[in-house]
Amino acid sequence: MTHPTRRALLAAALAAPAVSRAAFAQGTPAIDQLRLFVPSGAGGGWDGLARVIEKVLRETSAIGSAMVENVPGAGGSIGLPRFVAMRGRRNTLMVAGLSLVSSAIVNRSPVTASRDTIPLARLQGEAHVLVVPEASPIRTLADFVQAFRADPRGTSIAGGSAGGTDHMTLGFIAKALGIPTAQVSYVAFNSGGPAASAIIGNQVKAGIANYAEWAGHIESGRMRALGLTADARAPGVPVPTFREGGLDVVFYNWRGVFAPTGIPEAHVNELGAMIAAMAEGAPWKREAESRGWQLIYQPRREFAAFLEQEVREVEGVLKDLGLV
């Protein structure tokens, strides 16, 4: 789950077909119309990413136009089979992320993103943050680890819905510390707002969420941030990583793009080159910075390898949590 080096990114771009690089350089649209399939509802994180992809690709003349199609339901498990059925369709990309992996496991989906699509690129992600109330005697990650090990049942931790990324983060923390997940006290809420209220009101000992969701509470001092699940400190975020505190947990709520199977390899390469050029460009980085995204780009082969490992790790932690 590490950031690719600039050298690796440039190498991926240079490996793309020369005709595609020339098209980008000349400002000629590589694709007249791009179809972006989003297996979730409008307004969510995947949809937001799709809209930014459309904006940047149009702005940089990589495409002429784009159409976004939303198919919500079951964490992507309803839309994924429809995308898989688009086998052979050119100029089509699915925008999805981590929840597509976990929902397929929990729902025992007969199709999965890792097996039945072409993972094209991982683009961005959000690290999770572990926080405690302002009045908590826990001041550091080391303090939390000590308290959690001493009394895991008594260390109640708030977060989003059961089986979601907050819950999985706690599962990874428990696994890293050798604490049986049956002893973990997780308090699930249907959204970050009620969970934040429980933390600020000292109704729980700690909480986990995407950093951006609780950044305002952290900056105001109502919550104390102990650590981030990122592999490196995020720009402008004054919170150490778990690894800095001696806890080997790296976990992102990541998002990326997938191509349908059955399209020519040359066309897959052209789509990959287009996304690589977008990810390296200033307009993309500007949009990401304005939204607080952490850029964790991986090209096709790195992303595919990462996804295989991610499936194994997510399935393992969901089993530990008793959700599979």
Side-chain angles (χ1 to χ4, degrees):
M1 297 186 182
T2 58
H3 292 280
T5 64
R6 183 179 179 86
R7 180 179 299 173
L9 178 59
L10 291 175
L14 290 173
V19 63
S20 297
R21 295 199 304 272
F24 298 139
Q26 295 168 4
T28 302
I31 293 174
D32 288 334
Q33 184 177 60
L34 178 68
R35 181 180 187 180
L36 293 168
F37 181 87
V38 184
S40 68
W46 297 352
D47 180 70
L49 175 58
R51 306 290 172 174
V52 174
I53 291 172
E54 175 189 9
K55 178 182 178 182
V56 173
L57 291 179
R58 285 168 59 95
E59 180 181 331
T60 56
S61 299
I63 62 173
S65 62
M67 177 185 71
V68 178
E69 178 184 0
N70 296 88
V71 179
S77 292
I78 292 177
L80 179 58
R82 185 175 300 188
F83 179 75
V84 171
M86 295 178 187
R87 174 182 170 83
R89 291 195 183 179
R90 297 183 178 226
N91 302 341
T92 299
L93 294 175
M94 178 175 69
V95 181
L98 173 61
S99 296
L100 192 66
V101 172
S102 58
S103 65
I105 294 170
V106 171
N107 295 314
R108 297 181 173 86
S109 174
V111 295
T112 68
S114 59
R115 291 196 310 262
D116 301 297
T117 75
I118 299 173
L120 195 65
R122 188 180 73 170
L123 291 173
Q124 53 90 213
E126 295 170 316
H128 289 72
V129 64
L130 174 67
V131 304
V132 293
E134 178 185 13
S136 173
I138 296 174
R139 312 294 301 183
T140 66
L141 183 61
D143 292 342
F144 172 83
V145 168
Q146 183 178 7
F148 193 33
R149 276 181 165 152
D151 186 13
R153 293 188 190 278
T155 307
S156 54
I157 300 171
S161 59
T165 57
D166 305 340
H167 198 184
M168 285 190 282
T169 299
L170 179 57
F172 285 123
I173 292 172
K175 183 176 182 179
L177 296 175
I179 297 172
T181 52
Q183 298 179 15
V184 169
S185 177
Y186 184 72
V187 184
F189 291 87
N190 60 8
S191 68
S197 296
I199 296 163
I200 295 170
N202 293 289
Q203 298 168 22
V204 293
K205 298 292 180 65
I208 297 171
N210 287 342
Y211 177 82
E213 193 167 6
W214 288 348
H217 297 306
I218 294 168
E219 292 166 3
S220 70
R222 291 188 293 268
M223 294 179 182
R224 181 180 305 121
L226 304 180
L228 284 174
T229 61
D231 59 348
R233 288 207 185 197
V237 178
V239 181
T241 68
F242 278 13
R243 280 181 171 173
E244 288 180 68
L247 186 58
D248 190 18
V249 174
V250 176
F251 188 55
Y252 289 101
N253 186 8
W254 55 265
R255 302 181 182 103
V257 290
F258 304 77
T261 59
I263 60 178
E265 182 69 14
H267 190 61
V268 175
N269 289 337
E270 289 175 2
L271 289 169
M274 179 182 71
I275 295 299
M278 179 195 75
E280 177 67 4
W284 174 256
K285 293 176 181 177
R286 182 185 65 243
E287 294 290 340
E289 182 178 1
S290 70
R291 290 165 172 77
W293 290 348
Q294 197 157 352
L295 296 179
I296 51 173
Y297 171 79
Q298 285 182 323
R300 176 184 171 190
R301 286 172 178 79
E302 289 179 27
F303 182 36
F306 160 82
L307 192 57
E308 287 186 10
Q309 179 180 349
E310 188 83 328
V311 169
R312 291 193 296 269
E313 292 184 355
V314 168
E315 185 171 19
V317 78
L318 289 174
K319 284 181 179 178
D320 290 342
L321 294 170
L323 297 170
V324 177

